[in-house]
């Protein structure tokens, strides 16, 4: 478990004159809290909180797939509802009958984003199931769900081309960009922007490194070359609603990338502490 203080929230160095209702500036994130392994029966799980917004993610798999006429029990046919993703992996989700269009849209964004970073060619003929449970929604639900999914995939030991980070911005009625908006701020905003950036860590001198770390030994480039996929760098996903001017859109992307670096550093610190704790327990 790791908690990020409020003063570590992503700021691009600009000063904000007006404070938001919760006391934050326009370029400040809410406190982050992450923990790994909250679900005992999942192959990988994570809990991600962003302020009062909280999502629990569970990963089940990879598990072998059956082919009609194969040796699986029940005539060799794969039972249960499933839809095949672009990477060829059936992605099943429970409780779809009670889902509205917003939940289905968020599910599609999560599926396409995970499909872009998962090295699926290293896991041929397998099925991976990702389940997301919303504990509480107080704004920025989609990036919170994405970060929980990324952490659960890492906890399951699945090969990823990078360590992504997601963040959301909103454009209020005064034309000001608000980082990590609450639910009330989202409802009163004229436009929202949710982006996912690949790992681009900062060097000691503050410059952005060109290399992209990976959950696979040898780095993202080696893993991607061995799997036949290209290493992911830069922006992976951008989901926008409403109308926003071009200059504000570019500024929003710059702020989002800076905030994703902070979230990336937060995730890496948690991974390092988790690995050290495992080494101590196994010694």
């Amino acid at each position: 478990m790791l908690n990020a203080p409020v003063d570590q929230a992503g700021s691009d160095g600009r000063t904000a004159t007006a404070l938001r209702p919760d006391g934050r500036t326009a370029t400040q994130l809410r406190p982050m809290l992450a923990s790994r392994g909250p679900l005992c029966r999942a192959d990988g799980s994570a809990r991600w909180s962003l302020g009062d917004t909280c999502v629990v993610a569970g990963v089940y798999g990879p598990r072998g797939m059956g082919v009609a006429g194969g040796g699986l029990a029940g005539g060799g046919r794969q039972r249960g509802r499933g839809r095949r993703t672009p990477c060829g992996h059936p992605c099943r989700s429970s409780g779809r009958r009670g889902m509205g269009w917003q939940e289905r849209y968020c599910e599609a964004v999560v599926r396409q984003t995970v499909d872009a970073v998962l090295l699926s060619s290293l896991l041929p003929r397998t099925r991976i199931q990702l389940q997301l449970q919303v504990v509480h929604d107080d704004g920025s639900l989609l990036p919170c769900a994405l970060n929980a999914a990324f952490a659960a995939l890492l906890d399951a030991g699945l090969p990823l081309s990078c360590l992504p980070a997601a963040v959301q911005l909103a454009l209020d009625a005064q034309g000001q960009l608000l980082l990590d908006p609450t639910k009330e701020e989202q409802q009163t905003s004229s436009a929202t922007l949710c982006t996912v950036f690949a790992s681009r860590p900062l060097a000691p001198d503050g410059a952005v490194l060109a290399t992209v770390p990976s959950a696979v030994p040898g780095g993202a480039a080696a893993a991607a070359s061995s799997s036949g996929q290209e290493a992911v760098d830069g922006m992976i996903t951008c989901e926008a609603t409403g109308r926003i001017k071009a200059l504000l859109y570019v500024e929003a992307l710059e702020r989002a990338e800076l905030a994703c670096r902070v979230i990336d550093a937060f995730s890496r610190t948690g991974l390092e502490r988790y690995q050290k704790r495992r080494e101590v327990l196994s010694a």
Side-chain angles (χ1 to χ4, degrees):
M1 181 177 293
L2 185 65
N3 194 343
V6 178
D7 56 7
Q8 193 187 34
S11 174
D12 56 0
R14 303 177 186 177
T15 57
T17 56
L19 295 179
R20 294 149 76 173
D22 54 3
R24 293 182 294 145
T25 62
T27 58
Q28 207 169 19
L29 292 167
R30 288 174 292 179
M32 290 180 290
L33 181 66
S35 60
R36 299 180 66 177
L39 305 178
C40 59
R41 295 188 178 183
D43 296 302
S45 61
R47 181 187 182 99
W48 192 280
S49 298
L50 194 58
D52 292 333
T53 302
C54 181
V55 177
V56 177
V59 174
Y60 301 85
R63 298 172 182 173
M65 289 174 51
V67 183
L72 285 181
R77 298 186 61 184
Q78 184 66 41
R79 295 184 176 181
R81 294 176 299 170
R83 292 194 298 174
R84 191 171 296 273
T85 63
C87 66
H89 291 270
C91 183
R92 294 167 50 190
S93 60
S94 58
R96 296 180 58 84
R97 294 183 179 179
M99 294 173 58
W101 69 269
Q102 294 180 338
E103 289 80 6
R104 291 178 182 271
Y105 180 75
C106 291
E107 180 189 15
V109 174
V110 172
R111 181 187 290 110
Q112 293 175 4
T113 305
V114 170
D115 183 66
V117 300
L118 179 65
L119 298 177
S120 56
S121 57
L122 297 179
L123 306 169
R125 305 212 60 78
T126 56
R127 182 182 74 250
I128 300 173
Q129 185 177 6
L130 173 63
Q131 292 185 352
L132 298 173
Q133 179 65 45
V134 179
V135 180
H136 186 70
D137 179 14
D138 188 33
S140 300
L141 178 61
L142 181 55
C144 188
L146 286 167
N147 290 324
F150 301 148
L153 292 171
L154 286 175
D155 188 57
L158 296 177
L160 304 179
S161 61
C162 62
L163 181 58
V167 73
Q168 189 165 20
L169 293 96
L171 184 66
D172 63 5
Q174 289 73 31
Q176 185 180 20
L177 289 172
L178 303 178
L179 184 64
D180 183 23
T182 62
K183 193 171 185 178
E184 182 180 357
E185 290 173 339
Q186 281 186 239
Q187 292 174 349
T188 58
S189 63
S190 58
T192 59
L193 185 72
C194 177
T195 59
V196 180
F197 281 89
S199 304
R200 302 184 66 183
L202 292 176
D205 58 355
V208 180
L209 299 179
T211 57
V212 182
S214 170
V216 179
S225 61
S226 62
S227 63
Q229 295 181 217
E230 297 182 358
V232 180
D233 191 9
M235 187 169 61
I236 303 173
T237 299
C238 182
E239 186 272 339
T241 60
R243 299 180 62 181
I244 183 171
K245 295 182 179 179
L247 293 178
L248 282 177
Y249 178 75
V250 174
E251 182 181 355
L253 293 181
E254 293 176 353
R255 292 193 183 186
E257 186 174 10
L258 289 172
C260 284
R261 294 185 207 169
V262 176
I263 299 175
D264 176 72
F266 170 76
S267 300
R268 292 178 185 277
T269 303
L271 286 174
E272 292 175 359
R273 293 185 180 181
Y274 180 78
Q275 292 296 336
K276 290 179 179 179
R277 185 165 60 250
R278 289 192 60 180
E279 293 175 359
V280 172
L281 294 177
S282 60

